[in-house]
Structures are given as structure tokens and as C-alpha cells.
Amino acid sequence: MTEPADASTVPAPDAFAAPELFINRELSLLEFNDRVLAQAQDESVPLLERLKFLCISSTNLDEFFEVRVAGLKQKAELLDTPSEADNRTPSEVLRAISERAHTLVDKQYATLNDEIIPALEAQGIRFLRRAEWNPEQRAWLAEYFEEELLPVISPIGLDPAHPFPRILNKSLNFIVALDGTDAFGRKIRHAVVQAPRALPRIIQLPADAAGSGTHDFVFLSSIIHEHVGDLFPSMRADGCYQFRVTRNSDLYVDEEEVDDLLRAVEGELPGRRYGDCVRLEVAHNCPQELSDYLLARFLLTREDLYQVNGPVNVNRLLSLQGTVDRPDLKYPAFTPRLPNALSPSGDLFAEIRAGDVLLHHPFDSFLPVIDFVRRAGSDPKVLAIKQTLYRTGPDSAVVDALVEAARAGKEVTVVVELRARFDEADNIELANRLQAAGAHVVYGVVGYKTHAKMTLIVRREPDGLHNYVHVGTGNYHPKTARLYTDYGLMSCDHALGNDVHEIFLQLTSLGKVSGLERIVDAPFRMHDAIVAKIGREAEAAAAGRPAWIVAKMNSLVEPAVIRALYAASVAGVQIDLIVRGICCLRPGVEGVSENIRVRSIVGRFLEHTRVFHFAGDGDPELYMSSADWMDRNFFRRVEICFPVTSRPLYDRVVRELGLYLADNSGAWQLGENGRYTQVRPAADEPVVSVQKRLMEGPG
């Protein structure tokens, strides 16, 4: 641990710009996915939950290729020069990604084949291979092929009249090697079979079929393999191998050149299915000749080829969660609690007036947030409701409440972010629905995503108009509120309400926000404010006064903030960072970051809260935010960072941060080398799981 520096000799943050001090963000993201996969390998996790974590790691990797790898490939083609703090070119990063991702994929399939499937079989949940089918099962599956598959499948023999078909992003396909001549006397060597999208990828055998158990399944790919010869009469199928191609799925909309953002995003959505190819997955036994043939068709290289021993789309196994009714193989049921301050039958606005209310989801119920909007819609004293929506889901009780409020004659204004990645279609649908109900719908600010989470309710009371607000770290999405950890603050604090009101005015009228008293906003003030608060801690430490920072977030990427943290560490500030996903800061570097510790918590719930706690030179400050410490959040998004000023709530959050730092069950420690080591309790230490502890009650 470095000694505190003299105030006059504390180096400027710019002194810490050496590329080796920064971990590459893409490789850090792959490290996070490895930690998710470790949950699938953890025998203390219920079996079907282990399968779920395996599927999540597969889905995460899909999105990584669709967005991050796709973007790097574009950069490498246009201008292959370094653009990140680690000073690597896109081509260098792509080579490193290929090496790390291949290792990760091999580990995924080893986990599936060597751990998950045998454990499921031991519990009577079987995936039957073709060689294991008995005559009765074979007959049932042949009938399934005839009745369900054959009418909708379209095999395509490849010749000049039948060119290689367009392959849908992440769809299941088969390349078939053929021998012989067709009905027209043509010799065709290859064919492509595309699996129907409408059919499930896992078929459950009926329990009354001879030899079948209650939970016996067959992969759709196995049925197609078995009967592929039936699709090419008079020819012989010498081989049938599944493959899947991943495409660039990031939307591009030139916001400066479009008149109607909604119509522009709608128009771009279909193209997402057929973007440039970035990855090819093939069966592990596919001959190299056929793999090379596919790579050539998709303009890919050997680095982009992933040979997999199992289904090419592992995340389709997630359907087993809903099919298999085995509560003993899942996490125990958990009912979120309702805070004592809120009574379902009480006067919600009076309860908020009595004092700020803090909700920590999913440990605290999300129902009060829905109730907040719903009651406002039916309250004759409420004049207006304003809300930001980033992700809400297609069937949202929050949107239902806003629709009812608009129909009841309230002034309802909703800022809908159409470009919430992979939720664009749902957001377009809800925007149309809100407009049909009479709500005012705007799409934020051109060039900036509206990522702030806030609701404003304007209510007339005997002493005048009052603003009631809900501000939070997470989306207004009831489903993810049960899966993600997030904080939400309900308040009628005058200054906080005025700040939220000012930000809504900016979003709708595009005027400049006047001075904000409580909220620190992006893209205007947040970055400078965070760097300044870190700098204040450095100055205090250098002067020998107590100084510390505890910050919890999803990602830490922005170079200037990282450099400020390095300078603070050299000055003697004790810094604890709880970073779930990407972390580009390298802790433990001698003479630079010896006072910085970085940990990641991975568990039943996805850690999503953003909380920043500063010693404040004797006047501690606690902030919550919708923003991570990333370039995009500071400079290209509308975000809010708000203080927790209630002393009881402050004390509660500080205790909960302490639990996150004490966790030795789901915690991983980041090393100087950029790799993570799982934290284990010492022999004489009790096991601490922050999520289990918070399920029992507030921190």
C-alpha cells in the first residue's frame, strides 16, 4: 500500500496515460462472461439455474459478436488505428478476442456436455441422441417430421438456378453434402436446409411413448439429421452439419437526416436480420472443406470459425426452465417485501411527504412504483405525469397506468427512447399505444440516448403545486425489477422535484436547463463533477485527512475518470470499486493503483445499481445514478446522478455497500493481470452472500 503523497507532489491525472495501465474493454467484457459461465459450473447453484447461467453466457456472447465484434470489424476495415486508452488497433483486439472467445466457447460446451447434461440425466431429464431412440420413439419422431417439419421446410439444392440463400441472423441451418443426380439429371454437391423458425428447438417426447420418461427431449436438429435424406429423393446425403451465422445487428440511423425518428428506426429493424456476417458456428465434425465453403460464402476467415460440440444455439435450452416443473432444481421461491413506509391501502402521497422512501429491487417490491403512476392517474388532485421510458417490456403495467391516466384526462408526457438496443420494436409499439391514448410522446434529443430513469407527478394541494418524483438506477420494467438489483427513490423534496422538472423541460422543449440544485446531469455536468469529487478526495488524502471512495457500477471505462482514480490512489485515497462487468482500470499496479481494489459480484440477481460514496473531506456524500462511468454515459446520453440526503436511508445504503465488500460467496477479485479470482472464505470465516442477506431484510 502506498504512503500518502504530499499535496504539492500529487501527480496530475494526465500522468497516468500509459497504455499498459488500461485493460481492453472488449477483453474485460469476455472476462465477465466467463464469470457468468462459472455460475453454471458451480455445484452449489440449483441445477436448472446452472443451465440458465449457461444460456445467459451464450446469449451474452451472441450480443458481444453482434455489436462489439461487428463494430471492431468495421473500424478495422475503415481505419485500423488505435482509438482506445490501451492503444491497441482494432485488428489486434480482434485477434485477442478470437483467442479468448474460442477458449470460452470450448468451456461452454464442455460445461454442457460433461457437467450439465449428465447432471440432468441423473434427475430424469434426458436429451436422447439418435442412437438411443427405440423403435417406438423413432416412429413417433418420424410422424412428427412428416406432420410438423416436412410441410414447412424448404431444402435448397445449390446450383446456378438456386444460389446460396440469405441466411437469417442466428438461425439454425444445415449444410448437406450430396452424391448422385436429381430428378432432372443434375449433379448437385451441396444443399442448405433452413430449420423453420416457428418450431421449437427442443421437442418433448410424449411420456406414454414406450421407453420415454416424463422429461425426455430430442433436439430438432437431431430429427432433421435423421430424415435429411427424405428431402433429396434419388440422391444420397453423405453428411449433414448444422451451422449458424451471427451478423452485425447494431442499428444505424442518421438522426440529423431523418424527419421522423420512429419511422426511421422502424425501417431499419428488418435489415438487422441480414447485416454483415461476423461469426460462423459449425458442428465440430463438419469437414474442413465444407467449413471453408461456408466461410467463403459469408466472407469470413478461420479466426471467425467456431466448431461446437452440441447445439449451435445453446440459449435455446432456456426453454427447459418453463417446460420442466421441478422446483427442487431451481432457486427457492422469493417474494419481494413491501417497505413498512408504504401501505397498500394508505395515502401514498402522504407517506412520501412524510419522508423519502427508498426501494432496493428485487428485495423490495416494484409494485409501489406501478402504484405511484396508477394512483396518480385516478387522483383528481394530480394535474400532470411525466416519465422516461428506456426499457419496459411489451406487456408493461407501467405503460398500462400511463394509458389509463391519459384517457382520464391527465397531462401525460412520456419520453420514449426508441434506440434502446434490441428493444426498439417494443418501444415503437408502446409509443404508438401511448399516442393513441392521448399522451404526449417525444423521442428524446437527437444524437443523445435518454437513459435517465425518472417520473414526475405534479399535484395540486392546499398550499399550492407539489412535485412528487421517482428517480432510480434501473428501468421501468416489472420483469427485470425481479431479476436486476436497482435502487429507486420516491420523494417530494422541493429541490429534487424542481431539478426533475427542469430536465423534463429540456427533453421536451430542448431549452437549456437552468442551475440544478440536487441532480448532476449528463451530458453537461456529470463527468466534470465525478472527476472533481475524486480530485477532492486526493487533496484530502495528500493533506493527511481521511479520504475514501466506494463506487458500485456496471462498467468502468472512461479514461479521464480512471486516471483521476490512479492519481487519488497515489495520494493515499482508499478506493473500493464494485464493478459487475467491464473494468478497464488495472488495480494493484505498484506505485499507481495499490490503494485500489476491484471486485465483481455475480449471483442469482444481475447487479445493476450505481452508487457512489465519497468521504467528502469530512462531509460524506452518497449518490445514485442511471449512469455507469463510461464515455457514452458521460457524453452521449441524458443521465442523472442524484443524492441520498435522508440520514436513515444514507445509513442503510452504506451498510448495504459494506455487505457487498464483505461478500465471499459470489465475489470475484480483479488482479493486475486483468483476470479475476473468485473470493473464498477463510477456514475460520463465515460465508457471506450479500444477495441472500438482502433477501432477508434491508442492510
Side-chain angles (χ1 to χ4, degrees):
M1 184 177 294
T2 55
E3 293 296 323
D6 181 81
S8 62
T9 61
V10 174
D14 288 346
F16 303 98
E20 59 269 21
L21 293 179
F22 295 85
I23 298 170
N24 180 266
R25 62 164 291 166
E26 317 303 349
L27 299 179
S28 181
L29 186 52
L30 286 176
E31 285 295 314
F32 167 65
N33 209 27
D34 195 41
R35 298 195 294 280
V36 174
L37 180 58
Q39 292 293 106
Q41 300 170 312
D42 187 344
E43 294 184 1
S44 69
V45 175
L47 182 54
L48 286 177
E49 305 295 347
R50 292 175 64 189
L51 177 63
K52 181 188 73 175
F53 279 112
L54 176 64
C55 294
I56 291 172
S57 77
S58 176
T59 303
N60 286 351
L61 200 58
D62 284 351
E63 184 174 337
F64 177 77
F65 276 92
E66 289 177 281
V67 179
R68 303 305 311 173
V69 172
L72 282 169
K73 282 180 172 286
Q74 289 178 329
K75 289 179 180 178
E77 291 173 2
L78 294 173
L79 188 64
D80 195 23
T81 57
S83 60
E84 303 293 337
D86 65 323
N87 205 38
R88 297 195 194 192
T89 66
S91 292
E92 290 172 337
V93 177
L94 285 168
R95 286 193 291 272
I97 286 173
S98 178
E99 180 180 347
R100 185 71 180 95
H102 275 89
T103 301
L104 184 59
V105 168
D106 289 344
K107 189 187 293 188
Q108 286 177 334
Y109 282 90
T111 302
L112 175 65
N113 295 320
D114 301 339
E115 299 182 40
I116 302 294
I117 287 180
L120 288 169
E121 287 181 353
Q123 294 293 332
I125 303 167
R126 301 190 300 168
F127 296 99
L128 300 182
R129 300 177 182 273
R130 284 184 290 157
E132 299 171 322
W133 299 350
N134 64 35
E136 291 81 2
Q137 293 166 341
R138 195 172 297 275
W140 187 90
L141 290 166
E143 183 178 354
Y144 182 91
F145 176 81
E146 291 284 338
E147 295 184 355
E148 300 291 338
L149 263 170
L150 198 55
V152 294
I153 205 165
S154 297
I156 300 175
L158 303 179
D159 68 1
H162 300 83
F164 200 92
R166 294 184 75 188
I167 300 298
L168 193 69
N169 181 40
K170 297 185 297 185
S171 60
L172 174 61
N173 307 273
F174 301 84
I175 182 75
V176 184
L178 297 172
D179 189 25
T181 57
D182 67 5
F184 298 92
R186 299 171 306 169
K187 188 173 181 62
I188 298 176
R189 294 186 58 207
H190 300 134
V192 169
V193 177
Q194 297 175 289
R197 297 178 62 204
L199 293 181
R201 296 300 186 256
I202 304 173
I203 313 302
Q204 185 169 12
L205 288 166
D208 57 0
S212 295
T214 305
H215 299 303
D216 280 354
F217 299 89
V218 173
F219 289 112
L220 181 71
S221 56
S222 295
I223 303 175
I224 293 176
H225 278 152
E226 179 70 14
H227 295 280
V228 69
D230 300 344
L231 301 174
F232 303 96
S234 78
M235 303 185 74
R236 185 178 73 244
D238 287 339
C240 176
Y241 311 98
Q242 58 179 319
F243 73 90
R244 185 174 76 137
V245 65
T246 308
R247 296 181 179 273
N248 184 338
S249 295
D250 218 5
L251 290 183
Y252 173 74
V253 176
D254 188 347
E255 297 172 359
E256 299 290 350
E257 298 296 328
V258 299
D259 296 321
D260 188 328
L261 187 58
L262 185 145
R263 291 185 183 277
V265 173
E266 275 185 315
E268 283 290 310
L269 282 175
R272 166 180 282 170
R273 300 174 180 177
Y274 298 105
D276 293 338
C277 300
V278 295
R279 174 182 61 167
L280 173 65
E281 297 164 279
V282 300
H284 72 290
N285 59 344
C286 181
Q288 192 63 56
E289 174 198 356
L290 287 181
S291 295
D292 288 342
Y293 172 76
L294 291 171
L295 287 171
R297 300 302 309 185
F298 299 124
L299 304 178
L300 295 173
T301 69
R302 289 279 183 94
E303 282 188 348
D304 305 312
L305 176 67
Y306 291 77
Q307 296 172 297
V308 301
N309 184 15
V312 292
N313 194 346
V314 171
N315 58 53
R316 290 299 190 109
L317 292 171
L318 194 59
S319 63
L320 219 64
Q321 285 276 84
T323 305
V324 176
D325 185 19
R326 289 288 301 273
D328 57 311
L329 301 181
K330 301 178 182 179
Y331 284 124
F334 166 65
T335 302
R337 59 182 170 264
L338 188 68
N340 294 331
L342 300 178
S343 168
S345 58
D347 183 341
L348 179 62
F349 296 107
E351 290 163 345
I352 296 173
R353 274 199 310 274
D356 290 355
V357 176
L358 183 68
L359 302 171
H360 192 177
H361 311 300
F363 317 107
D364 294 325
S365 173
F366 189 71
L367 289 176
V369 180
I370 300 171
D371 204 31
F372 185 54
V373 182
R374 184 178 291 141
R375 291 201 198 186
S378 60
D379 187 338
K381 296 179 181 178
V382 169
L383 305 179
I385 305 171
K386 300 182 180 184
Q387 189 169 48
T388 58
L389 293 180
Y390 189 73
R391 300 188 196 276
T392 62
D395 301 311
S396 170
V398 173
V399 175
D400 291 344
L402 291 169
V403 166
E404 290 305 312
R407 288 174 177 167
K410 307 297 183 186
E411 288 293 319
V412 177
T413 302
V414 186
V415 181
V416 178
E417 181 47 68
L418 295 179
R419 296 152 303 160
R421 184 174 288 143
F422 299 117
D423 278 345
E424 294 93 345
D426 287 343
N427 285 3
I428 288 170
E429 182 179 339
L430 72 87
N432 289 332
R433 185 178 167 212
L434 286 163
Q435 286 178 322
H440 305 292
V441 178
V442 296
Y443 307 125
V445 181
V446 169
Y448 299 86
K449 282 189 179 183
T450 301
H451 194 249
K453 327 297 186 186
M454 54 188 187
T455 301
L456 171 67
I457 292 173
V458 182
R459 192 169 189 261
R460 186 180 299 281
E461 296 179 356
D463 57 344
L465 296 181
H466 287 262
N467 292 327
Y468 291 80
V469 301
H470 173 273
V471 287
T473 67
N475 302 303
Y476 291 104
H477 195 310
K479 182 178 179 180
T480 57
R482 293 183 63 89
L483 302 174
Y484 296 6
T485 69
D486 271 305
Y487 281 114
L489 180 70
M490 305 173 84
S491 175
C492 67
D493 177 83
H494 179 75
L496 183 62
N498 281 350
D499 285 357
V500 172
H501 169 72
E502 289 288 340
I503 294 173
F504 270 113
L505 284 181
Q506 177 179 264
L507 288 171
T508 56
S509 70
L510 307 182
K512 187 176 181 180
V513 170
S514 56
L516 300 177
E517 186 174 343
R518 294 288 174 84
I519 289 177
V520 181
D521 62 331
F524 301 107
R525 302 189 303 154
M526 191 183 298
H527 181 262
D528 289 346
I530 294 297
V531 171
K533 290 179 187 300
I534 296 170
R536 181 187 58 189
E537 298 298 323
E539 292 172 2
R545 298 190 296 274
W548 39 258
I549 299 169
V550 180
K552 183 177 183 296
M553 66 199 78
N554 302 325
S555 300
L556 172 57
V557 175
E558 205 281 314
V561 170
I562 293 175
R563 292 195 295 266
L565 289 168
Y566 285 150
S569 170
V570 171
V573 180
Q574 297 301 309
I575 302 171
D576 284 291
L577 303 174
I578 308 162
V579 186
R580 184 198 78 213
I582 304 169
C583 181
C584 295
L585 178 147
R586 198 180 293 276
V589 177
E590 184 178 357
V592 176
S593 55
E594 292 166 289
N595 288 325
I596 303 178
R597 294 156 295 279
V598 180
R599 59 170 33 210
S600 171
I601 306 291
V602 181
R604 173 173 180 173
F605 306 114
L606 182 79
E607 290 295 334
H608 197 248
T609 52
R610 291 96 164 187
V611 185
F612 316 135
H613 192 205
F614 301 95
D617 204 7
D619 186 15
E621 295 178 324
L622 180 69
Y623 285 87
M624 295 178 175
S625 182
S626 59
D628 290 309
W629 288 357
M630 303 179 72
D631 305 64
R632 69 186 188 190
N633 299 93
F634 285 131
F635 307 120
R636 299 190 299 276
R637 290 186 172 186
V638 177
E639 304 272 17
I640 60 171
C641 182
F642 54 93
V644 176
T645 56
S646 162
R647 188 67 196 191
L649 299 184
Y650 169 93
D651 291 342
R652 171 189 167 184
V653 175
V654 170
R655 289 195 302 271
E656 292 178 353
L657 285 174
L659 287 173
Y660 279 101
L661 294 175
D663 188 293
N664 55 21
S665 175
W668 296 73
Q669 200 80 22
L670 176 60
E672 180 185 350
N673 62 357
R675 306 301 290 270
Y676 287 77
T677 304
Q678 191 161 14
V679 177
R680 298 294 190 187
D684 57 345
E685 275 187 321
V687 175
V688 178
S689 168
V690 59
Q691 293 190 357
K692 288 182 180 179
R693 173 65 184 82
L694 291 175
M695 288 170 69
E696 297 168 359

